Amino acid sequence: MMASLCPSAISAALAAISPSPPSSSKQTRFSFSTGSWRRSRMSSDRSLPPVPDRRVVLGCGSVSVDFLAAVASYPKPDDKIRSTSLKVQGGGNAGNALTCAARLGLNPRLISKVADDAQGRSILAELEADGVDTSFLVVSKEGNSPFTYVIVDDQTKTRTCIHTPGYPPMVPHDLSQTNLLSAIDGARIVYFDGRLYETALVVAQEAVRRKIPILIDAERPREGLDDLLKLADYAVCSAKFPQAWTDAPSVASALVSVMLRLPNLRFVIVTLGSEGSIMLERSTEGNSQEEVDVDNLLEILKQRKDDVATIPTYVSSAVSQLKAKGIGTVHGRLLLGTAEKIPPQELIDTTGAGDAFIGATLYAICADMSPEKFLPFAAQVAAANCRALGARASLPYRTDPRLAPFLS
């Protein structure tokens, strides 16, 4: 049972539910491998807002080739089964998130490493075809490019990944100072997926020097991730990360703990798949001194969310002192975002849904979207990505009519 909460604190902490408002052309891009211009799908639809003026995004992290096999159900030990479908496409958290950002209209640049092999060449070609600037990827003459076997269970709609890292791994001296400065020049935001941490830290330190905000994908605890998080302005976490990182007893209290441990963070989001997302946004406005138990508040928000709507919506608290018992207090507000209710026959594969959410978050930050607007938008982008096999096959373009209500 929830602990008692004074009525004035509840009413002060809660705001009304505000769902997302209801409601192709082509553009040339430069191909970094061929040195020529090509046509790509970009929006000039007058019903959509213009793309952000500052839309250069720099990412540093993983790329790979994904070998995806869908199966009727996950095999038991020593089983021999057949796939129901098979696909080979680009993958890797950073590669997926920046592909999403490019399709939404941003100009992403990527720092990573591949080998000069067939897989490496296909990684580069696929990224370039979507408008991701690969000029700053390091290509090793020897070794192997990263690749991942992905088994998609048609029955449970889950996926199992077996990853083989690239070799030789990327190290800081692979990225020259000249390339670093060129890559980061003009960037609106810098994004890290937590891999290549030694190189990532060099890039992050340069971003801090230039006062460029940093977004971190905190998927799971990794070597060097803590050093990156200390420099972050925004963090998007997997469902398990906040409690694994903080040892807090609940998700809500873990988010408070994350904000207290990382005083530079403006917000932290935890993505929860079909359960939506939770955001804790720090506030420097308001002078409310009334404390509200964050676990109780989250339960109240869950009761007030719109369970009828099929499209993503959100519900928000007002700004208050959010208290986690035994941990501390953060001045801010809590937002609960819902996910799209995808019809079962349309739900194919959740691979890369979190990366799609991050790609949409990068767009939202560049477009100065409010959390009320971008949480449903990011959820819609992630849901669109679940309708085909693999992390990129159904990533939506800016002109996708499903995005229009969230962009207009």
Side-chain angles (χ1 to χ4, degrees), residues 18-61:
S18 303
S20 306
S23 148
S24 114
S25 62
K26 299 193 181 239
Q27 174 175 309
T28 55
R29 282 181 181 247
F30 193 73
S31 171
F32 303 97
S33 63
T34 63
S36 61
W37 291 91
R38 60 178 182 78
R39 305 291 285 180
S40 64
R41 293 173 62 181
M42 293 287 292
S43 171
S44 62
D45 190 330
R46 294 176 183 271
S47 69
L48 296 177
V51 293
D53 289 333
R54 296 185 60 201
R55 54 185 179 272
V56 174
V57 175
L58 175 61
C60 177

Side-chain angles (χ1 to χ4, degrees), residues 22 25 30 34 82 106 114 153 162 189 232 260-261 283 300 346 404:
S25 62
F30 193 73
T34 63
R82 292 187 177 184
L106 300 185
V114 297
D153 187 331
I162 307 168
I189 187 168
L260 291 173
R261 291 174 63 175
S283 178
I300 295 169
E346 295 181 22

Side-chain angles (χ1 to χ4, degrees), residues 13-292:
L14 291 175
I17 295 173
S18 303
S20 306
S23 148
S24 114
S25 62
K26 299 193 181 239
Q27 174 175 309
T28 55
R29 282 181 181 247
F30 193 73
S31 171
F32 303 97
S33 63
T34 63
S36 61
W37 291 91
R38 60 178 182 78
R39 305 291 285 180
S40 64
R41 293 173 62 181
M42 293 287 292
S43 171
S44 62
D45 190 330
R46 294 176 183 271
S47 69
L48 296 177
V51 293
D53 289 333
R54 296 185 60 201
R55 54 185 179 272
V56 174
V57 175
L58 175 61
C60 177
S62 64
V63 293
S64 74
V65 171
D66 285 353
F67 297 90
L68 296 124
V71 296
S73 62
Y74 194 81
K76 296 177 181 178
D78 211 30
D79 266 0
K80 292 184 179 180
I81 61 173
R82 292 187 177 184
S83 62
T84 58
S85 58
L86 178 69
K87 182 173 287 186
V88 180
Q89 66 178 211
N93 293 37
N96 296 336
L98 294 186
T99 295
C100 178
R103 292 190 185 184
L104 294 175
L106 300 185
N107 295 340
R109 302 167 181 166
L110 177 58
I111 294 172
S112 192
K113 186 173 185 177
V114 297
D116 186 15
D117 56 12
Q119 291 174 179
R121 289 187 288 274
S122 83
I123 289 170
L124 294 175
E126 190 171 340
L127 290 169
E128 291 171 5
D130 268 305
V132 178
D133 185 342
T134 64
S135 302
F136 308 103
L137 264 82
V138 176
V139 180
S140 172
K141 294 296 182 184
E142 299 178 346
N144 65 276
S145 296
F147 63 93
T148 304
Y149 296 116
V150 184
I151 302 173
V152 179
D153 187 331
D154 290 338
Q155 187 176 62
T156 62
K157 303 300 182 183
T158 57
R159 85 287 184 273
T160 302
C161 301
I162 307 168
H163 181 64
T164 299
Y167 184 84
M170 189 168 193
V171 292
H173 74 251
D174 285 335
L175 181 67
S176 70
Q177 183 71 6
T178 299
N179 276 353
L180 169 59
L181 298 180
S182 296
I184 206 168
D185 185 50
R188 168 67 176 83
I189 187 168
V190 181
Y191 148 69
F192 302 95
D193 70 4
R195 278 106 167 157
L196 314 179
Y197 74 93
E198 292 176 322
T199 303
L201 188 58
V202 172
V203 178
Q205 289 167 342
E206 183 62 29
V208 170
R209 278 193 287 271
R210 293 172 176 245
K211 298 184 176 173
I212 300 172
I214 292 171
L215 183 147
I216 303 292
D217 170 10
E219 185 179 42
R220 59 184 177 86
R222 301 178 189 277
E223 187 176 6
L225 181 60
D226 286 12
D227 293 330
L228 287 172
L229 284 169
K230 290 173 185 176
L231 304 177
D233 299 90
Y234 312 101
V236 179
C237 309
S238 67
K240 296 179 180 179
F241 179 83
Q243 287 179 265
W245 195 62
T246 64
D247 291 324
S250 67
V251 172
S253 62
L255 295 182
V256 171
S257 181
V258 168
M259 294 295 268
L260 291 173
R261 291 174 63 175
L262 303 172
N264 294 328
L265 275 190
R266 303 180 197 180
F267 68 63
V268 57
I269 299 172
V270 56
T271 58
L272 302 170
S274 62
E275 296 300 312
S277 62
I278 304 168
M279 169 194 274
L280 200 166
E281 180 188 36
R282 195 188 305 274
S283 178
T284 56
E285 300 178 359
N287 55 5
S288 171
Q289 297 303 310
E290 196 157 26
E291 291 186 351
V292 179

